[in-house]
Amino acid sequence: MRKNSVKNTRINGEVQRELAEIIRGEIKDPRIAMMTSVVAVEVAPDLKTCKAWISVLGDETSQADTLAGLESAEGYIRSLLAKKINLRNTPQIAFILDQSIAYGVNMSKKIDEVIGREKADSE
């Protein structure tokens, strides 16, 4: 795996910021959950493709609905991205569901439960 150049890192950050703003303010699809965030973006060096990791707060059905809504609005999102960011090519966006935030919250709850049990046992 190649290390990202400074230019590619800047492009990734800019696309992530604009993509989050578009999802939050421009998309009116009722399938897309309100608590949707763009966790990370990785734009290919040739600017043809882009992977966007999306985190959705909610149950599995709302996550699946949000992913389906984003995939159906990909062309519209891409056109808005082209207007906001001046790139040679506007990348095709592949949305990937990211479970890391939910996993972290779940692990934190489990750690708190274990600590609570240990305190109760020591008393």
Side-chain angles (χ1 to χ4, degrees), residues 28-86:
K28 303 292 188 247
D29 193 334
R31 294 178 289 179
I32 298 174
M34 292 299 297
M35 297 299 289
T36 301
S37 60
V38 180
V39 177
V41 170
E42 184 179 306
V43 179
D46 63 354
L47 304 176
K48 299 271 185 201
T49 60
C50 168
K51 294 179 185 174
W53 283 270
I54 305 296
S55 177
V56 180
L57 187 65
D59 59 349
E60 290 180 11
T61 57
S62 67
Q63 292 174 353
D65 288 345
T66 299
L67 203 56
L70 288 172
E71 287 172 355
S72 71
E74 192 265 338
Y76 178 67
I77 292 170
R78 191 172 174 217
S79 69
L80 290 176
L81 199 60
K83 291 176 186 173
K84 293 183 179 217
I85 300 176
N86 186 18

Side-chain angles (χ1 to χ4, degrees), residues 9-24:
T9 303
R10 266 196 346 253
I11 290 172
N12 288 344
E14 185 69 18
V15 170
Q16 179 179 355
R17 189 174 62 75
E18 291 297 336
L19 196 58
E21 192 173 303
I22 289 169
I23 290 172
R24 184 175 49 247

